[in-house]
Amino acid sequence: MLGHSHALSGLAAGAATLPCAPVHGPVAQMSWVAAAGGFAMLPDLDHRGSTVSDMWGPVTDVPSGIVGTLTGGHRWGTHDAVLAPLALGGLAVLAADTYWSSLLLMALAIGLALHALHFVIPGTTETTIVGNIALSWAGAWWLLDHSPQPTWLPWAVALGVLTHIAGDSLTTAGIPLPVLWLLRRKRLALSPLRTGTVVEKAVLVPLFLVATVAFLWINTDVRNAFDPIVDRFLSAG
């Protein structure tokens, strides 16, 4: 799938899982959804030239090359539905208990989401290296400064990674057969959908967007802010 499809599906998954997410309060809920959306881009760190690799220049491009080499290339280890969530979520466990490492993870998630969703954001600041760094780190600082230590980050990483893998499993390129690909490289594709087709752009993307808004409306208090407006509108009608 395209980058914005992954990010939107991650946001939708984050919003849908809010009732069982280990977060409390509007800021923490916002952080959870944003993190799920950003981390839904993370598996593509396995190849240079991807949105993840290009986002912060050498800071993300060099690790991308290393990850790709260690995981067997594009759409192998980082797209394993069993190993990838465990490995990436496990790394997040090491970072979730300290402020600066949590700040880095949240900035990475926000930066990825901003970069992937640039097509609905006015201007181009979020797609430049300096602009993306400034926006993502400022956003991460604000979120962490107004909510408890995000010990839930490993769960958000795992959720985002699994959402990405589920999306790619629907494309013709498929995903590796979990764990067994280590013995014999074999892929699993669940549908004939091709990346970047009209179906993805005109059907799946709007569906993910509507799902995100709907689940945010259902699972957060945002509807309380609009209820008086809706009531006045209905009364006037």
Side-chain angles (χ1 to χ4, degrees):
M1 284 189 167
L2 298 174
H4 57 261
S5 299
H6 284 307
L8 282 171
S9 64
L11 291 174
T17 54
L18 278 173
C20 58
V23 294
H24 304 284
V27 175
Q29 288 178 323
M30 187 191 310
S31 300
W32 171 266
V33 175
F39 291 136
M41 299 287 295
L42 204 54
D44 279 345
L45 186 63
D46 62 2
H47 73 113
R48 287 181 165 175
S50 65
T51 301
V52 188
S53 172
D54 293 342
M55 185 174 68
W56 292 345
V59 175
T60 46
D61 188 51
V62 173
S64 176
I66 297 172
V67 170
T69 300
L70 293 177
T71 59
H74 185 40
R75 283 202 183 190
W76 287 107
T78 61
H79 287 65
D80 185 310
V82 174
L83 299 180
L86 289 175
L88 295 172
L91 290 175
V93 169
L94 302 177
D97 289 330
T98 59
Y99 178 79
W100 288 106
S101 54
S102 296
L103 185 66
L104 171 61
L105 275 181
M106 278 303 304
L108 179 63
I110 293 172
L112 287 172
L114 287 174
H115 207 293
L117 300 175
H118 69 89
F119 69 103
V120 295
I121 302 173
T124 59
T125 302
E126 71 283 351
T127 61
T128 65
I129 295 175
V130 175
N132 189 280
I133 288 175
L135 290 172
S136 58
W137 281 82
W141 171 81
W142 187 89
L143 290 173
L144 294 186
D145 194 53
H146 291 79
S147 61
Q149 184 67 24
T151 54
W152 46 262
L153 275 172
W155 296 104
V157 170
L159 175 63
V161 169
L162 280 173
T163 303
H164 181 113
I165 294 171
D168 277 350
S169 72
L170 299 176
T171 64
T172 53
I175 59 172
L177 200 60
V179 183
L180 297 179
W181 70 272
L182 292 169
L183 302 175
R184 181 183 176 186
R185 290 205 167 198
K186 188 174 182 180
R187 291 187 181 275
L188 177 68
L190 302 180
S191 83
L193 177 69
R194 292 184 178 276
T195 300
T197 60
V198 175
V199 174
E200 179 181 350
K201 295 178 179 179
V203 178
L204 294 182
V205 168
L207 181 63
F208 294 147
L209 182 58
V210 170
T212 300
V213 174
F215 283 122
L216 285 174
W217 183 271
I218 294 169
N219 295 328
T220 69
D221 292 333
V222 68
R223 63 184 180 279
N224 294 337
F226 289 91
D227 279 345
I229 299 175
V230 174
D231 290 339
R232 282 198 294 270
F233 176 80
L234 293 176
S235 298

